[in-house]
Amino acid sequence: MTEYLGLSMLLFTIGAAGVLVRRNAIVVFMCVELMLNAANLALVSFSRRHGELDGQLAAFFVMVVAAAEVVVGLAIIVSIYRTRRSTSVDDASLLKA
Amino acid sequence: MTAFWVLAPFMVLAALGLVLARKAVHAALCLAVVMISLAVLYAAQGAPFLFAVQIVVYTGAIMMLFLFVLMLVGVESAESLAESIPGQRIGAVVVALVFGALGVVGVAQSVTGAVVGVDAANEGGNVEGLAALMFGPYVLAFEATAALLITAVLGAMVLAHRERLGRRLTQREVAEGRLQDYAHHGTHPGQLPTPGVFARHNAVDTPALLPDGSVVETSVPAPLRARDQVRPGDRSEVDAVARELEPGEDPR
Amino acid sequence: MNDVLDTAWVLVALPLAGALLLLTWGKESDRFGHWIGTAASAASFVWGAVLFVALAGRDADDRSVTTTLFTWFDVGRVRVDMALTYDQLSALFVLLITGVGTLIHVYSIGYMADDPRRRRFFAFLNLFVAAMLTLVLAADYLVLFLGWEGVGLASYLLIGFWQHKPSAAAAAQKAFVMNRVGDLGMVIAIALMLAHLGTTDIARVATGVPALSDGVVTGLGLLLLLGACGKSAQVPLQAWLLDAMEGPTPVSALIHAATMVTAGVYLIVRSAAIYDASEAARLAVVAVGLVTLLAGAAIGCAKDDIKKALAGSTMSQIGYMTLAAGLGPAGYAFAIFHLVTHGFFKANMFLGAGSVMHGTGDDVDMRHYGALRTAMPVTFFTFAAGYLAIIGFPGLSGFWSKDKIIETAFGFNVWVGLGTLLGAGVTAFYMTRLMAMTFLGRKRWREGVHPHESPAVMTVPLVVLAALSVLGGVMLLGHWITDWLAPVVGEAHHEELPVPAIVLTLSVLVVVAAGVALAWATYGRREVAADAPTDREVGWWTRAARHELYGNAVNDALVVRPTGQLVRGVTAFDKHVVAGAVSGLAGLFRDASQGLGRLQTGFVRSYALVLFGGAAALAAALLAVTIA
């Protein structure tokens, strides 16, 4: 049981680190997906721990939301790429002091 | 547990690959590995429905979307690995290590007691159990996700829509424009020959030959030309083939 | 209601309409604007005469008519009506203001003939007449205050009429500011009335006075006296009047001699009910009157500027009136009597002085005059009539009015009586000095000055006013004026005099003759220097009188300089402490935000790092709690 959660933590942390380190918006986005998946793994594990299916259902909802998010997020990336010819998140840094 | 211990190292390695890969396509492939492995772990934990959904939705739909967008913005866009924000990389690693250590310790601290297992819950079938929950207590959340998906589709359409800036040109205007170009710049007014016409090969990297035997470089797709992967085409090669086919008859 | 006396508002409306017309009409009215102004004033006089006849035709106890035009404002328990009272007192004032006013309008046609802004001058004169009539007709202290401020405004506009002269602009401001000090007393008095009586109606205040405590009544009396001091240039608010002579001479004659400056006396007489109820307030009035009487006379003795000498005389004569008004019912009628006769002879002399200035090229220094009697005979004779009237030559108007005041003053207190007697002597001295230096003696004219008689439009008003100065005493015939005013100011009861009245009159004549003789010996027979002796060559009393008894220095030391210091201190405090704190705080925040702004890199990844760090800290905290 603990090992599943440990793996989940590990994947989540790696995903978060990826978000911080990578500059390509698409890769950043993939890292976010990795974090979501890690959370899903935790949810499924909790479901097994408690013998209830609610956790699995929560994971299912996360997937649905992730799908919607990916659709919109990628559309945003594409439209930014169209205007700026770049997918680097560092390029969109005009909002500063 | 076997599945876990077999898959877990692969997943961690693939996740690290996702973070460290220089090319976005490689990162995407690493992510696919993690996702499929996760699907197996779901199955191992008594969640067959999620196993299927993970495969279909994540690796099937979402990963395809990622790859599609990658193709759209350019596969070649390998980012430089030099960090531009001072201290960002070290800070990220340190915070990640602290967070990961804390998380693991925390999980080990908090999760106690025996594992119940979902066998009892899956008695009437996993899918039926989830359906009873989804259309029972969680029906409102389910409806809300439907609305969310519709909104997301609309949002994507709005974002991807490109406003036409000028009037659509009529066919006549297009034709006139082409002839004007021909008159002033000598641009060929008609369709360009497709690669391989009259050439020795009809592959895309083989430039077409005009009936007078001259080579048309522009018939090869621009990416191939840029990479210098154009197969040299020559009239003499065609002649050689012709001679092979009809010996003794010189076309000239 | 179909009473002709209900149309008193017409008196105010005519000059007001004239003022509005002249102020709004364009340049084309420059040619005839002065006639419009004069006609408005004259029409008001004619209407005033009609009303006077109608009033005189009534029974003696039915001679007060109050007309409510409209409700001015009605706020909660306070209700103020725009109401006019036409009674014996205001009737006299209406005739004085419109009569003398009209004569001065006529005079101004000639005096201001060369001024490019003559139309505006007449507009202001009409405005003044309207405001002054509002003042004397008001049935409510607030309406009276409206007129009070109106005459203050007109006075300001007219003193500063030649605003291109810095001295005139400064004099106008000085008059305005000093009048505001007095007005403050008036405003507080009105507020006191509202607080204690709930009304500002003059009649209802008068009936309500007996119910008030002594302290409140005395307070009201002193505050109204402060207002009167400001308007009538009485000590301690006297300093503006001499500077006010910067205005055109008709203005000095109308506003600063005949009418406006007597408004304070009018106010005291009108508020007779309040002063009757407070011994202390009356005493203060007498004190102010006596001090001003002597101070004004002293200043009049030393000034070489003909208008300033006359202004000192005006102060002194108004001191007489104020003193008489402070003597209670015995003196009210004589205060008004002297006010009217003074209105005649002082206007006459100011206009005469204006005529002299007109003839000598706007020179005001009497040391440059001399022997003008031959060059300006009409001016000389009319001026002489005014001169004889003011010193109290037997039979002339000033003789009757001043004699009565001195008599009443002796009835009140011997020392006050002696003060007024001394004042009469000094009056004779300085007026004889003025007369001798201006019209008699040897020529001391500056080069290029050719004195000449003024045109008829200026001399005719002089002749009329001279006639009035000579004949003004008829009002006392058969005690007409005291009987006429008795219903308004109360019945006079005669005090027992220490000496018979005829002895008193004779002693007044002796003192006056002594003053004349002294002046004649000093200025008539001896040669007058064409240049004034410097301050070092004269005695300390002359120096003090020349400097207006140091009134300006006192104001400067007591008010202007401390206020200036205070303002500088407050400004410095505001600049360094208040503004310093504000801008210091702002600077602190600016620096802080500039420092914090560096954290705002714009890179979303660094924000995410902070977020992640926060999450780690939260996890650590949770873990710490769990373990502990």
Side-chain angles (χ1 to χ4, degrees):
Chain A
M1 188 63 224
T2 324
E3 60 274 6
Y4 278 105
L5 295 176
L7 177 64
S8 165
M9 277 311 303
L10 215 53
L11 292 180
F12 185 89
T13 312
I14 292 171
V19 170
L20 299 184
V21 173
R22 299 304 297 259
R23 268 175 299 176
N24 186 333
I26 300 171
V27 179
V28 169
F29 217 175
M30 287 185 206
C31 291
V32 172
E33 292 304 316
L34 179 64
M35 291 163 76
L36 283 171
N37 272 306
N40 273 355
L41 177 61
L43 284 172
V44 172
S45 304
F46 284 131
S47 171
R48 190 164 71 91
R49 160 72 181 74
H50 293 288
E52 310 272 355
L53 292 182
D54 298 57
Q56 294 186 13
L57 196 66
F60 173 74
F61 280 131
V62 170
M63 287 180 194
V64 176
V65 173
E69 175 220 337
V70 165
V71 169
V72 176
L74 288 178
I76 291 173
I77 289 173
V78 168
S79 60
I80 289 176
Y81 179 74
R82 261 195 216 149
T83 50
R84 306 183 69 99
R85 290 282 140 192
S86 157
T87 55
S88 170
V89 290
D90 283 0
D91 284 352
S93 64
L94 292 175
L95 200 66
K96 60 186 170 190
Chain B
M1 277 329 315
T2 322
F4 177 82
W5 289 118
V6 170
L7 288 176
F10 277 110
M11 287 169 73
V12 173
L13 283 178
L16 288 174
L18 163 66
V19 176
L20 300 176
R22 201 158 167 273
K23 289 191 176 178
V25 178
H26 296 169
L29 288 176
C30 289
L31 184 60
V33 169
V34 176
M35 284 176 172
I36 293 170
S37 308
L38 264 180
V40 175
L41 288 190
Y42 290 163
Q45 294 202 82
F49 177 67
L50 281 185
F51 164 76
V53 172
Q54 174 81 4
I55 299 283
V56 172
V57 174
Y58 263 116
T59 37
I62 295 180
M63 280 318 298
M64 283 313 108
L65 258 180
F66 269 115
L67 288 171
F68 188 78
V69 172
L70 274 177
M71 298 302 162
L72 204 63
V73 302
V75 191
E76 295 299 315
S77 62
E79 68 183 297
S80 103
L81 287 180
E83 182 54 59
S84 54
I85 308 175
Q88 174 78 9
R89 191 165 289 177
I90 295 167
V93 170
V94 169
V95 173
L97 284 178
V98 170
F99 184 85
L102 283 172
V104 171
V105 173
V107 165
Q109 279 280 324
S110 53
V111 179
T112 48
V115 176
V116 177
V118 283
D119 295 344
N122 282 342
E123 195 119 351
N126 177 259
V127 180
E128 286 82 349
L130 280 175
L133 273 178
M134 194 185 298
F135 299 112
Y138 293 99
V139 71
L140 268 180
F142 179 73
E143 297 287 352
T145 52
L148 179 72
L149 282 172
I150 294 290
T151 316
V153 169
L154 280 175
M157 280 170 66
V158 169
L159 285 168
H161 178 68
R162 206 194 292 230
E163 200 69 38
R164 178 179 283 281
L165 295 173
R167 182 175 61 85
R168 182 196 281 275
L169 295 177
T170 62
Q171 205 170 6
R172 182 187 184 85
E173 284 166 337
V174 172
E176 282 172 355
R178 274 191 190 152
L179 285 176
Q180 286 288 332
D181 276 354
Y182 176 66
H184 294 116
H185 309 291
T187 319
H188 184 60
Q191 248 182 337
L192 283 175
T194 50
V197 174
F198 297 129
R200 193 162 176 228
H201 299 275
N202 59 359
V204 287
D205 59 350
T206 311
L209 296 178
L210 291 181
D212 64 351
S214 56
V215 179
V216 187
E217 283 281 344
T218 50
S219 61
V220 179
L224 292 181
R225 273 185 279 148
R227 288 188 218 162
D228 206 14
Q229 287 180 338
V230 182
R231 187 187 289 267
D234 192 3
R235 169 73 190 248
S236 55
E237 287 186 25
V238 183
D239 291 346
V241 173
R243 270 194 300 277
E244 278 175 25
L245 294 175
E246 294 169 44
E249 198 182 317
D250 192 340
R252 264 174 274 185
Chain C
M1 281 298 285
N2 288 323
D3 194 330
V4 67
L5 294 180
D6 285 331
T7 58
W9 59 271
V10 174
L11 296 170
V12 180
L14 283 170
L16 189 64
L20 290 178
L21 195 64
L22 289 176
L23 282 175
T24 51
W25 204 336
K27 272 184 183 164
E28 61 269 28
S29 64
D30 279 346
R31 282 181 294 113
F32 51 85
H34 46 285
W35 292 113
I36 295 179
T38 312
S41 179
S44 194
F45 173 68
V46 169
W47 195 251
V50 169
L51 292 186
F52 185 81
V53 171
L55 190 73
R58 286 184 165 223
D59 291 338
D61 51 359
D62 189 29
R63 282 180 182 157
S64 177
V65 181
T66 300
T67 319
T68 302
L69 301 180
F70 53 88
T71 300
W72 190 4
F73 51 79
D74 188 0
V75 201
R77 290 182 301 138
V78 179
R79 179 192 157 100
V80 176
D81 287 328
M82 185 58 87
L84 302 180
T85 295
Y86 188 76
D87 63 2
Q88 296 92 326
L89 182 59
S90 38
L92 270 185
F93 265 92
V94 166
L95 284 182
L96 175 72
I97 294 160
T98 55
V100 175
T102 305
L103 288 174
I104 289 172
H105 273 79
V106 173
Y107 178 91
S108 304
I109 294 172
Y111 190 84
M112 301 295 283
D114 299 330
D115 197 296
R117 298 192 304 157
R118 181 165 62 165
R119 174 170 56 93
R120 183 188 301 219
F121 181 79
F122 275 83
F124 291 161
L125 275 189
N126 269 3
L127 180 68
F128 167 76
V129 170
M132 190 70 200
L133 289 172
T134 310
L135 197 165
V136 298
L137 286 170
D140 190 293
Y141 277 107
L142 262 180
V143 181
L144 190 152
F145 191 64
L146 181 71
W148 191 265
E149 292 301 308
V151 295
L153 170 68
S155 162
Y156 167 78
L157 291 171
L158 286 167
I159 294 172
F161 186 73
W162 288 322
Q163 70 225 122
H164 51 87
K165 287 198 294 183
S167 57
Q173 274 194 7
K174 185 173 177 183
F176 201 74
V177 170
M178 294 200 76
N179 266 297
R180 292 294 80 69
V181 177
D183 294 346
L184 191 67
M186 184 108 177
V187 169
I188 299 174
I190 290 174
L192 263 184
M193 289 172 198
L194 279 177
H196 288 276
L197 297 168
T199 180
T200 55
D201 185 277
I202 294 176
R204 281 166 62 197
V205 167
T207 50
V209 162
L212 294 177
S213 68
D214 285 351
V216 174
V217 176
T218 307
L220 274 178
L222 293 178
L223 288 166
L224 288 176
L225 175 63
L226 181 63
C229 282
K231 198 56 88 192
S232 291
Q234 301 292 291
V235 174
L237 297 177
Q238 82 290 358
W240 65 270
L241 184 63
L242 282 110
D243 291 345
M245 296 301 129
E246 289 289 345
T249 309
V251 172
S252 309
L254 177 61
I255 301 185
H256 305 118
T259 53
M260 187 194 82
V261 285
T262 58
V265 180
Y266 170 81
L267 180 69
I268 293 172
V269 175
R270 187 49 99 183
S271 310
I274 293 170
Y275 287 97
D276 287 347
S278 170
E279 187 94 21
R282 272 210 313 279
L283 199 62
V285 175
V286 171
V288 164
L290 188 60
V291 170
T292 313
L293 186 171
L294 296 173
I299 293 171
C301 291
K303 288 288 179 186
D304 288 333
D305 178 329
I306 185 167
K307 285 183 74 181
K308 293 205 170 177
L310 284 174
S313 158
T314 303
M315 263 176 73
S316 170
Q317 298 302 313
I318 297 169
Y320 269 111
M321 299 169 209
T322 309
L323 190 150
L327 297 176
Y332 290 139
F334 299 130
I336 299 300
F337 181 34
H338 192 58
L339 193 159
V340 174
T341 56
H342 172 258
F344 294 152
F345 59 68
K346 188 51 70 60
N348 174 19
M349 284 191 286
F350 259 114
L351 294 186
S355 178
V356 168
M357 287 161 59
H358 192 76
T360 56
D362 281 330
D363 196 342
V364 292
D365 194 337
M366 293 192 289
R367 291 183 186 274
H368 303 162
Y369 294 163
L372 286 175
R373 66 183 181 283
T374 48
M376 320 178 79
V378 180
T379 306
F380 169 64
F381 281 113
T382 53
F383 202 98
Y387 159 72
L388 292 175
I390 194 175
I391 65 169
F393 191 80
L396 270 63
S397 60
F399 169 74
W400 303 109
S401 55
K402 201 187 287 180
D403 189 54
K404 279 294 172 191
I405 291 177
I406 294 171
E407 197 178 294
T408 317
F410 267 106
F412 173 75
N413 180 301
V414 175
W415 293 105
V416 175
L418 285 175
T420 57
L421 194 59
L422 175 66
V426 180
T427 305
F429 175 82
Y430 68 69
M431 285 314 299
T432 310
R433 170 178 179 267
L434 195 156
M435 198 69 193
M437 287 175 80
T438 305
F439 293 102
L440 309 176
R442 203 171 52 80
K443 287 180 190 174
R444 294 184 303 275
W445 305 344
R446 301 274 105 161
E447 266 180 50
V449 173
H450 305 289
H452 54 88
E453 187 54 271
S454 300
V457 73
M458 287 167 72
T459 49
V460 169
L462 284 176
V463 172
V464 175
L465 283 169
L468 286 169
S469 309
V470 172
L471 302 173
V474 298
M475 282 188 283
L476 196 66
L477 271 184
H479 298 290
W480 176 81
I481 187 141
T482 42
D483 293 345
W484 172 260
L485 289 174
V488 183
V489 299
E491 207 67 55
H493 48 92
H494 281 279
E495 298 279 342
E496 202 54 45
L497 293 178
V499 288
I502 186 68
V503 176
L504 206 57
T505 306
L506 285 175
S507 53
V508 169
L509 285 177
V510 168
V511 169
V512 167
V516 171
L518 185 62
W520 178 252
T522 319
Y523 298 99
R525 287 173 52 196
R526 248 190 278 164
E527 194 57 43
V528 178
D531 292 304
T534 59
D535 275 0
R536 289 182 186 197
E537 294 161 11
V538 297
W540 60 269
W541 59 89
T542 314
R543 210 179 304 143
R546 273 187 181 180
H547 291 102
E548 294 155 31
L549 303 179
Y550 304 112
N552 287 323
V554 169
N555 286 345
D556 222 32
L558 287 185
V559 181
V560 178
R561 241 173 289 151
T563 313
Q565 294 281 351
L566 183 68
V567 168
R568 267 190 292 281
V570 170
T571 312
F573 180 81
D574 181 63
K575 193 172 168 187
H576 293 117
V577 180
V578 179
V582 171
S583 49
L585 200 63
L588 190 71
F589 276 105
R590 188 191 55 225
D591 294 347
S593 39
Q594 270 172 358
L596 288 173
R598 296 232 182 86
L599 297 177
Q600 207 75 15
T601 55
F603 293 116
V604 72
R605 291 191 295 137
S606 52
Y607 303 158
L609 177 59
V610 175
L611 180 72
F612 195 34
L618 194 63
L622 284 173
L623 202 60
V625 172
T626 318
I627 292 170

